[in-house]
Amino acid sequence: MEHIVIAGKRGLRGEVNINGAKNAAVAIIPAAVASASVCVIDNLPHIEDIVSLVDAMTKLGCKCRFINRNTLEIDSTGVTSVTADFDSIKKLRASYYLVGALLGRFGEAQVLLPGGCNFGTRPIDQHMKGFEALGAAVAIDHGMIKAKAAKLTGAHIYLDVASVGATINIMIASVYAEGTTVIENAAKEPHVVDCANFLNILGARVKGAGTDTIRIKGVTELHGGEYTIIPDQIECGTFMLTAAATAGEITVRNIIPKHMDSVSAKLSEMGCKLTEGSDFITVRGSDSLRAVNVKTMAYPGFPTDLQPQMTTLLCSANGTSIITETVFDNRYQYITELRRLGCQVTVDGRIAVIEGHNRLTGASVTATDLRAGAALVIGGLCAEGVTDIGNVKYIDRGYERIELNMQRLGADIKRVSE
Ligand code: UD1
């Protein structure tokens, strides 16, 4: 078992190149199954979720080859199975995109129910409703999602919640559906747009991604293509919040600043100085940041995936901050771990109240999920003394060796094996 050990140090300084977006990559890789051809996907992050997905794709009959560390060639011509029941995808949330891709191409899919981080109940009813509207019979049976259709036909689908997963999944499945599919109340996250752009490169006809209404005109064939994944909004935000929390100065490069607007706005409100260019942002923190209130929302609101890192930052702000988590019903499980570092946070349902200006001290803590792990890294950097973080496997699911980038910024952080 691996641990991350941090000797707290303020004032991280330097530049970080942000990797390709995890949540775009885990949608685009399964979407390649829909094409029955060769796709080359570039700017992939080298993280555990990608390794697990590539394993699943290979077992389905795709030929997957890493051309280099961040570029993957997928030849899905010879897919031989519509059943994905592999151990490798048990911990993945994004395994559900294989349902959309296999159902769209073969009219049938059987995929293990998704895993992923535990933020309370994470239903997939909107995915199923969408597939059913396209004409599929969908059931959950023995822990698997089973979907089957003699033919998929375009439909008008109104999502009850603007779910990222349901929007992308229905979009992928409906690429071959006869006629036009309309998804209303669609999610607008950057990775929804990225997946739509990828499908369009292959010959799909998807319009409106990034707005509330997405229209997909069915086609009879997708060809292969090359695609470069967008930068990771959440990795970028993690380093921006690290700059603020450690009162340092960090430039995040290879990013799309527009995707960061909600984060930049909060950091400015707290008193950080930000400089923005076409593909970079520099964040300069200070020792006297103001407390703020934050409400997580679907894009373009403040991302729920940065909520734990923001909570940690607010522990060192002057005054009391309130975070309201509106996306998930149980995303504060990590607070118990944060308290071990001396953070004063109380939670009531979806609301966390953070008493700022705490003196954090190092402790032995455990990552309870991916972004909670990132929050503990930030906490450890801010704390006096040594912090030891267990369950690093969660952090590795979404960050490519987070400790190496932190080291380049001057952090005293290392990975150790037990
Ligand atoms: C994706 C991201 C995750 C992020 C989340 C919100 C991936 C692989 N994961 O997760 O990192 O935190 O978006 O930005 O991209 N819901 C339903 N029924 C459904 C689907 C969702 O009620 O069928 C609810 C969920 O319980 C949640 C809300 O909708 O309250 C948003 O979930 P959703 O956008 O679907 O999140 P994921 O796709 O699971």
Side-chain angles (χ1 to χ4, degrees):
M1 271 236 290
E2 292 186 324
H3 288 231
I4 283 180
V5 180
I6 305 169
K9 190 175 168 193
R10 307 276 293 160
L12 296 202
R13 264 164 222 288
E15 300 193 349
V16 183
N17 274 318
I18 298 304
N19 291 294
K22 163 189 168 284
N23 284 347
V26 297
I28 285 172
I29 292 174
V33 169
S35 86
S37 190
V38 180
C39 298
V40 177
I41 303 163
D42 193 19
N43 201 30
L44 281 175
H46 208 81
I47 52 175
E48 279 306 310
D49 271 15
I50 302 298
V51 174
S52 304
L53 253 184
V54 169
D55 178 77
M57 300 280 286
T58 306
K59 287 181 174 141
L60 284 172
C62 296
K63 287 185 186 144
C64 297
R65 178 173 74 94
F66 276 99
I67 295 170
N68 59 50
R69 196 174 160 75
N70 304 101
T71 311
L72 175 67
E73 183 184 79
I74 304 170
D75 179 351
S76 40
T77 323
V79 172
T80 46
S81 169
V82 294
T83 304
D85 56 357
F86 322 118
D87 275 350
S88 50
I89 58 168
K90 276 189 182 154
K91 49 186 188 268
L92 275 184
R93 186 78 194 145
S95 54
Y96 51 37
Y97 294 132
L98 287 169
V99 181
L102 292 166
L103 178 66
R105 179 167 159 198
F106 299 105
E108 189 173 1
Q110 302 191 43
V111 179
L112 276 180
L113 276 168
C117 296
N118 176 12
F119 313 141
T121 46
R122 295 183 79 178
I124 52 162
D125 56 303
Q126 301 302 304
H127 304 235
M128 294 173 71
K129 174 172 117 171
F131 299 147
E132 278 165 358
L134 297 175
V138 192
I140 294 183
D141 183 20
H142 288 83
M144 302 200 67
I145 314 168
K146 296 185 176 175
K148 197 168 182 175
K151 181 184 168 195
L152 293 176
T153 311
H156 205 105
I157 299 156
Y158 187 93
L159 295 180
D160 298 340
V161 275
S163 154
V164 172
T167 302
I168 293 179
N169 224 347
I170 297 166
M171 198 166 74
I172 298 171
S174 62
V175 154
Y176 292 118
E178 194 176 289
T180 301
T181 299
V182 181
I183 308 173
E184 302 263 26
N185 195 27
K188 296 180 276 199
E189 267 67 5
H191 38 295
V192 175
V193 180
D194 212 33
C195 190
N197 288 342
F198 169 68
L199 291 169
N200 285 341
I201 289 272
L202 307 184
R205 297 174 68 191
V206 183
K207 280 194 175 159
T211 74
D212 295 318
T213 308
I214 301 179
R215 286 190 167 73
I216 304 114
K217 278 196 180 158
V219 296
T220 51
E221 203 186 349
L222 292 184
H223 47 72
E226 293 183 14
Y227 194 73
T228 300
I229 283 176
I230 52 165
D232 197 304
Q233 181 203 26
I234 306 304
E235 188 191 31
C236 178
T238 300
F239 283 101
M240 290 171 72
L241 299 181
T242 301
T246 65
E249 182 172 331
I250 296 176
T251 299
V252 279
R253 293 205 175 272
N254 178 35
I255 63 153
I256 298 175
K258 181 80 194 143
H259 292 169
M260 306 313 303
D261 279 355
S262 63
V263 181
S264 299
K266 273 297 153 199
L267 288 175
S268 298
E269 200 181 321
M270 291 181 74
C272 293
K273 299 276 177 270
L274 274 74
T275 316
E276 196 173 298
S278 59
D279 65 352
F280 75 90
I281 298 176
T282 301
V283 179
R284 195 160 6 114
S286 93
D287 282 318
S288 54
L289 294 178
R290 287 184 285 276
V292 292
N293 295 337
V294 179
K295 198 181 258 190
T296 65
M297 308 271 275
Y299 187 82
F302 192 93
T304 176
D305 285 354
L306 286 173
Q307 179 254 96
Q309 302 90 315
M310 189 68 185
T311 302
T312 311
L313 161 60
L314 291 174
C315 291
S316 53
N318 286 319
T320 304
S321 302
I322 296 174
I323 292 206
T324 310
E325 170 60 54
T326 76
V327 181
F328 291 108
D329 57 18
N330 189 9
R331 201 172 184 168
Y332 289 124
Q333 295 165 42
Y334 65 93
I335 298 284
T336 313
E337 298 302 307
L338 217 48
R339 286 195 192 117
R340 295 186 206 281
L341 300 177
C343 295
Q344 288 178 27
V345 187
T346 49
V347 175
D348 184 5
R350 289 177 178 250
I351 292 175
V353 179
I354 301 132
E355 301 299 340
H357 232 58
N358 304 158
R359 192 175 141 266
L360 305 192
T361 44
S364 199
V365 290
T366 307
T368 49
D369 65 61
L370 161 56
R371 306 302 171 186
L376 291 173
V377 170
I378 297 177
L381 291 168
C382 297
E384 271 173 35
V386 176
T387 297
D388 183 315
I389 306 173
N391 256 353
V392 173
K393 61 179 188 212
Y394 281 124
I395 306 177
D396 291 340
R397 280 194 42 216
Y399 294 89
E400 187 174 331
R401 297 298 297 258
I402 195 168
E403 74 277 14
L404 297 185
N405 270 329
M406 293 295 183
Q407 280 167 7
R408 283 183 207 112
L409 297 169
D412 186 344
I413 179 172
K414 63 185 177 198
R415 181 181 291 251
V416 293
S417 291
E418 237 172 30

